[in-house]
């Protein structure tokens, strides 16, 4: 739908000035000037430090030599720049006493850190939630491979999004190796690379319903549905940032784009790339794949850089970041924390998932501890309310 933002006039609420979007600006300039959504921006503000906490937590839990797991402050300090710990490792750890204990080892004559009992329990709850939903994990991985044109993906790309997909940290053994009827690892064309392939029997070809198709069924069955079925057949749910006023031309173009046929994310692309709605059909399929990819993630969000690793596998020839920018009614991209993170807009309401899951719930508990900072411990209900207020 790039033509929508290149040719349409978006009217900003501040002073009524108009911006001829994307036609005279670069992607970077458009990112800076677009209508921001304060709810998603506040949410990403919280996630900035949570991502740093998770990185340190993973390093601590990965140390098998200590019981309970611990990590040298000196070792962590050497990673400060990589982890974006601007004021140093020790200073960052002391900001979160509900998550980290900073202690001194008299034998080694050096400080070290470990997780608090509460943080360890949250980590345990997340691991249990993942284990309890392994069937869903397997389904997500199969769906991911099914969207690939070759039904295969470089294993390193999967490693990029293992947390987003809710995979266990030993997924090569617990998911791939234990399901040889679904997955196969083979050597890649480059040294030390592996390709994850989907095992398919011709008489048992898997068929999937995309998340957007489920939404269409629900919308169509509503008594107050005022959208024609012919229009809903190829539509996606749209909503826009508060205060973002759209011109009549823009609305007309969106309506036209909604009616455009396309090849779905799980459909076989063989022989269809050139004969369905041309370039715009190809772009709409790319949007469908991005929408389905985000729907498969635990938190309905992912870093743009990570999803870019799947472009070639999915047959997407477009710039992924531009794709998200050109569809503000479906995606919201934040640049907080020196990273570009895209959210599936329809999955969220007031900064929370509309349909949460056990893994997401465990991760929100860790976010609550991050928001507590140095404040005294609150009750579970108090911690939750604080998270919602910030």
């Amino acid at each position: 739908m790039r033509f929508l933002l290149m040719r349409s006039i978006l009217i900003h609420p501040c002073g009524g000035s108009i911006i001829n979007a994307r036609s005279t600006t670069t992607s970077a300039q458009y990112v800076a000037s677009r209508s921001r959504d304060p709810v998603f921006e506040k949410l990403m503000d919280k996630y900035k430090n949570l991502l740093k906490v998770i990185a340190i937590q993973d390093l601590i839990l990965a140390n098998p030599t200590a019981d309970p797991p611990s990590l040298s402050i000196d070792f962590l300090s050497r990673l400060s720049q990589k982890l974006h710990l601007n004021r140093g490792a020790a200073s960052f750890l002391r900001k979160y006493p509900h998550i980290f204990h900073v202690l001194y080892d008299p034998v080694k004559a050096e400080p070290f850190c470990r997780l608090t009992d509460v943080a360890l329990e949250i980590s345990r709850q997340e691991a249990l939630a993942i284990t309890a939903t392994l069937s869903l994990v397997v389904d997500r991985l199969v769906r991911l491979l099914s969207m690939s044109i070759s039904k295969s993906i470089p294993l390193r790309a999967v490693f990029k999004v293992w947390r987003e997909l809710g995979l266990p940290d030993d997924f090569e053994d617990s998911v791939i190796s234990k399901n040889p009827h679904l997955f196969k690892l083979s050597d890649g064309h480059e040294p030390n690379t592996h390709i994850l392939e989907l095992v398919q029997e011709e008489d048992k070809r898997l068929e999937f319903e995309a998340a957007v198709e489920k939404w269409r069924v629900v919308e169509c069955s509503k008594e107050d549905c005022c959208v024609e079925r012919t229009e809903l057949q190829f539509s996606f749910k749209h909503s826009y940032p508060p205060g973002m006023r759209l011109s009549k031309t823009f609305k007309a173009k969106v309506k036209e784009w909604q009616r455009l046929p396309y090849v779905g994310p799980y459909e076989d692309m063989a022989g269809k790339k050139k004969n369905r709605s041309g370039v715009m059909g190809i772009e709409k399929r790319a949007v469908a794949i991005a929408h389905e990819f985000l729907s498969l993630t635990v938190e309905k969000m992912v870093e743009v850089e990570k999803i870019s690793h799947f472009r070639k596998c999915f047959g997407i020839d477009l710039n992924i970041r531009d794709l998200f920018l050109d569809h503000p009614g479906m995606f919201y991209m934040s640049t907080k924390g020196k990273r570009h993170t895209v959210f599936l807009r329809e999955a969220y309401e007031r900064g929370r998932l509309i349909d949460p899951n056990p893994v997401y719930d465990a991760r929100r508990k860790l976010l609550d501890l991050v928001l507590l900072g140095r404040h005294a411990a609150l009750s579970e209900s108090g911690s939750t309310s604080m998270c919602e207020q910030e």
Side-chain angles (χ1 to χ4, degrees):
M1 197 171 62
R2 186 167 302 160
F3 65 99
L4 295 182
L5 290 178
M6 291 181 67
R7 301 179 184 177
S8 301
I9 302 296
L10 301 187
I11 303 179
H12 265 258
C14 301
S17 61
I18 58 176
I19 297 177
N20 196 354
R22 299 301 296 281
S23 60
T24 59
T25 61
T26 64
S27 292
Q29 290 171 327
Y30 179 60
V31 169
S33 66
R34 75 197 192 288
S35 295
R36 296 184 182 275
D37 191 318
V39 175
F40 282 110
E41 290 299 312
K42 286 180 181 179
L43 177 60
M44 202 58 216
D45 251 337
K46 302 169 187 176
Y47 267 94
K48 284 190 302 182
N49 287 328
L50 174 64
L51 294 173
K52 298 176 186 179
V53 165
I54 290 173
I56 297 173
Q57 172 189 269
D58 288 349
L59 287 172
I60 294 174
L61 294 175
N63 183 6
T65 61
D67 186 21
S70 62
L71 197 66
S72 163
I73 300 294
D74 180 60
F75 174 80
L76 198 55
S77 295
R78 293 198 294 271
L79 297 174
S80 290
Q81 187 173 359
K82 185 177 182 179
L83 297 174
H84 304 294
L85 308 180
N86 301 329
R87 296 186 178 181
S91 176
F92 183 83
L93 294 171
R94 290 190 175 97
K95 286 173 62 177
Y96 304 105
H98 299 286
I99 302 173
F100 303 111
H101 281 315
V102 179
L103 306 165
Y104 186 80
D105 187 340
V107 177
K108 296 182 180 180
E110 64 177 14
F112 66 97
C113 65
R114 67 185 183 208
L115 296 174
T116 63
D117 291 342
V118 177
L120 277 171
E121 175 59 20
I122 291 174
S123 176
R124 188 185 72 85
Q125 289 178 10
E126 180 179 345
L128 288 174
I130 291 173
T131 302
T133 57
L134 272 184
S135 60
L136 295 176
V137 170
V138 171
D139 181 71
R140 288 188 200 116
L141 201 52
V142 170
R143 284 172 176 265
L144 196 69
L145 287 162
S146 297
M147 286 194 290
S148 168
I149 294 176
S150 64
K151 310 307 177 190
S152 64
I153 290 174
L155 189 61
R156 63 174 179 268
V158 181
F159 270 111
K160 292 282 185 180
V161 293
W162 71 273
R163 186 181 293 276
E164 285 81 356
L165 293 174
L167 298 173
D169 53 11
D170 65 341
F171 72 88
E172 281 186 272
D173 297 323
S174 60
V175 176
I176 296 175
S177 296
K178 289 191 175 180
N179 292 278
H181 63 293
L182 293 173
F183 309 116
K184 181 177 73 173
L185 278 176
S186 59
D187 292 332
H189 299 296
E190 301 173 11
N192 300 319
T193 61
H194 293 88
I195 303 298
L196 179 62
E197 300 178 36
L198 181 64
V199 176
Q200 294 187 108
E201 297 179 21
E202 288 299 322
D203 59 338
K204 295 181 180 179
R205 190 167 294 277
L206 300 171
E207 294 185 4
F208 294 108
E209 182 181 39
V212 68
E213 293 166 2
K214 296 177 183 177
W215 170 77
R216 290 170 189 154
V217 171
V218 173
E219 285 296 300
C220 195
S221 63
K222 288 182 178 178
E223 293 183 2
D224 58 346
C225 179
C226 57
V227 182
E228 296 180 11
R229 292 194 176 187
T230 53
E231 183 176 336
L232 195 61
Q233 183 181 2
F234 305 114
S235 292
F236 290 83
K237 186 174 182 179
H238 279 66
S239 62
Y240 294 91
M244 184 176 180
R245 294 162 55 196
L246 309 175
S247 69
K248 290 183 179 179
T249 303
F250 183 90
K251 291 178 181 178
K253 289 292 184 181
V254 170
K255 192 169 185 178
E256 178 185 338
W257 185 85
Q258 289 278 53
R259 292 174 173 173
L260 190 71
Y262 67 101
V263 180
Y266 296 115
E267 288 185 58
D268 191 349
M269 282 292 289
K272 295 181 180 179
K273 190 170 183 178
K274 295 182 179 180
N275 60 19
R276 280 208 186 181
S277 306
V279 175
M280 292 312 302
I282 294 172
E283 183 187 353
K284 191 162 185 178
R285 180 179 185 271
V287 169
I289 289 175
H291 182 281
E292 186 67 5
F293 188 102
L294 283 164
S295 297
L296 293 177
T297 63
V298 170
E299 299 174 83
K300 316 308 176 194
M301 59 180 278
V302 70
E303 284 182 48
V304 176
E305 181 270 334
K306 292 182 178 181
I307 194 173
S308 294
H309 287 272
F310 294 86
R311 280 181 61 229
K312 186 176 180 181
C313 307
F314 294 156
I316 297 176
D317 297 325
L318 307 171
N319 183 293
I320 290 289
R321 188 178 71 162
D322 286 350
L323 199 69
F324 293 136
L325 290 174
D326 292 341
H327 295 269
M330 295 170 59
F331 311 111
Y332 184 76
M333 195 172 78
S334 172
T335 58
K336 293 279 187 180
K338 298 182 180 180
R339 67 187 78 228
H340 287 182
T341 305
V342 62
F343 295 85
L344 184 60
R345 181 179 289 282
E346 67 195 58
Y348 279 82
E349 185 175 3
R350 298 179 64 183
R352 283 182 173 271
L353 279 188
I354 297 173
D355 296 314
N357 54 76
V359 179
Y360 168 82
D361 289 338
R363 292 177 182 176
R364 285 296 296 207
K365 290 179 182 178
L366 186 62
L367 177 58
D368 289 341
L369 294 185
V370 170
L371 295 178
L372 274 177
R374 291 193 179 96
H375 293 284
L378 299 177
S379 65
E380 185 176 341
S381 59
S383 174
T384 301
S385 62
M386 180 179 182
C387 181
E388 291 174 344
Q389 291 168 7
E390 297 228 356

